Amino acid sequence: MKMPVLFIGHGAPMNATRDSDFTKALITLGSKLPQPTAILVISAHWETEGTSISSHIAPEKINDFFGDHPELHTLRYTPPGAPLQAEATRRLIPGSTIDNDRGIDHGAWAILVHLFPNADVPVYQMSLNKALTLADAKMVGRKLQPLRDEGVLIIGSGNICHNTRKIDRNQHASPLSWNTGFDQVFADTLRKSNHENLATPHVLSPEFGPEAVPTNEHYVPFLYALGATVENDTIETIYEGFEHASMSLRSYAWWPR
């Protein structure tokens, strides 16, 4: 069965343990997903020179977050790895390399704990290549399309708007104007299928883009995911919302017809 493609605005690591409208949306989405042979997560939290693909047979959970959060430290998410799919992915991406040691970061486990709570589906990750332009990232995503026919669920995990300099410690703080502004411009552009414009967020919205996307690492997983879609996929908005004033949790699924 051909797999859908997801982009999840993962937000703060604490979403792994929260009971919220956002996490309920992920649980609902998980109940609708077909069973994958493996899950490939392209996370904002793994950047490298060149493209690396994790291939650990039993990837450990990486506690890559700030602050003293005992509930996150004790949270267990221990899926098997996917070395066969990792090697298949390496063959699709010229110049990519295998990393046999890396575990899974919170861009993966904080959402998979809701999507696949039994941790019974093999998981691996592909890094963000820091040398690529945003348009290049979409082209790399396009090379991943054959994996969908092999049962691999591709997930981009980041945030459409993400500015850690403007974060409010209060999860429910009102979103800043540039957060809501860019989020809406982005959604309107995607709905109109103006995909090329999405690769230049500061041009897409000169007013809001510089604050909403001050760095690329949380935005670019969307472009990898978008590249893995095909024209006749049906797009569904999984969630629209904000947290900590400066993050958009906007999330999508592209379903094959």
Side-chain angles (χ1 to χ4, degrees):
M1 179 183 294
K2 184 169 187 162
M3 285 291 116
V5 177
L6 308 181
F7 172 75
I8 305 298
H10 64 248
M14 288 299 296
N15 283 320
T17 58
R18 285 171 176 160
D19 179 12
S20 65
D21 289 344
F22 172 62
T23 61
K24 286 183 173 72
L26 294 184
I27 292 168
T28 298
L29 172 61
S31 71
K32 298 192 300 183
L33 290 170
Q35 186 77 357
T37 57
I39 301 166
L40 170 58
V41 181
I42 304 164
S43 163
H45 297 283
W46 189 21
E47 294 184 280
T48 57
E49 302 292 343
T51 298
S52 292
I53 299 155
S54 67
S55 188
H56 199 296
I57 194 169
E60 295 184 356
K61 170 176 164 273
I62 302 171
N63 289 324
D64 55 337
F65 49 83
F66 297 104
D68 183 21
H69 301 292
E71 61 270 57
L72 293 185
H73 282 284
T74 58
L75 174 71
R76 288 181 54 80
Y77 195 80
T78 56
L84 292 179
Q85 288 85 357
E87 176 57 25
T89 305
R90 185 198 63 78
R91 292 196 296 268
L92 293 173
I93 310 299
S96 61
T97 59
I98 291 291
D99 185 328
N100 290 311
D101 299 320
R102 183 177 171 83
I104 54 174
D105 60 57
H106 81 261
W109 53 259
I111 59 175
L112 293 178
V113 72
H114 301 295
L115 294 171
F116 295 94
N118 294 328
D120 55 355
V121 180
V123 175
Y124 68 115
Q125 293 194 234
M126 188 174 82
S127 70
L128 307 180
N129 183 347
K130 293 191 288 186
L132 298 182
T133 67
L134 294 182
D136 289 338
K138 183 183 172 188
M139 295 302 295
V140 172
R142 186 170 296 172
K143 295 179 187 298
L144 300 176
Q145 290 177 3
L147 296 173
R148 299 176 61 189
D149 295 310
E150 301 301 322
V152 176
L153 176 65
I154 299 170
I155 305 178
S157 178
N159 293 99
I160 297 304
C161 303
H162 184 275
N163 189 331
T164 55
R165 297 193 309 269
K166 302 295 178 69
I167 242 173
D168 192 305
R169 295 173 69 87
N170 177 5
Q171 177 196 359
H172 303 293
S174 297
L176 296 163
S177 60
W178 50 259
N179 192 358
T180 55
F182 185 83
D183 184 74
Q184 190 60 60
V185 171
F186 175 93
D188 292 344
T189 303
L190 181 60
R191 186 172 59 252
K192 295 172 184 175
S193 297
N194 295 334
H195 292 172
E196 296 308 314
N197 295 338
L198 296 172
T200 53
H202 294 192
V203 176
L204 176 65
S205 177
E207 181 181 3
F208 304 123
E211 292 279 19
V213 190
T215 55
N216 290 336
E217 79 285 344
H218 276 77
Y219 187 84
V220 72
F222 169 81
L223 295 172
Y224 278 88
L226 182 64
T229 68
V230 295
E231 189 173 355
N232 65 349
D233 286 336
T234 300
I235 188 170
E236 177 187 4
T237 301
I238 299 302
Y239 189 77
E240 297 176 293
F242 308 92
E243 69 175 16
H244 297 290
S246 67
M247 295 182 190
S248 164
L249 300 179
R250 178 173 293 279
S251 302
Y252 292 101
W254 290 265
W255 301 96
R257 293 184 186 177

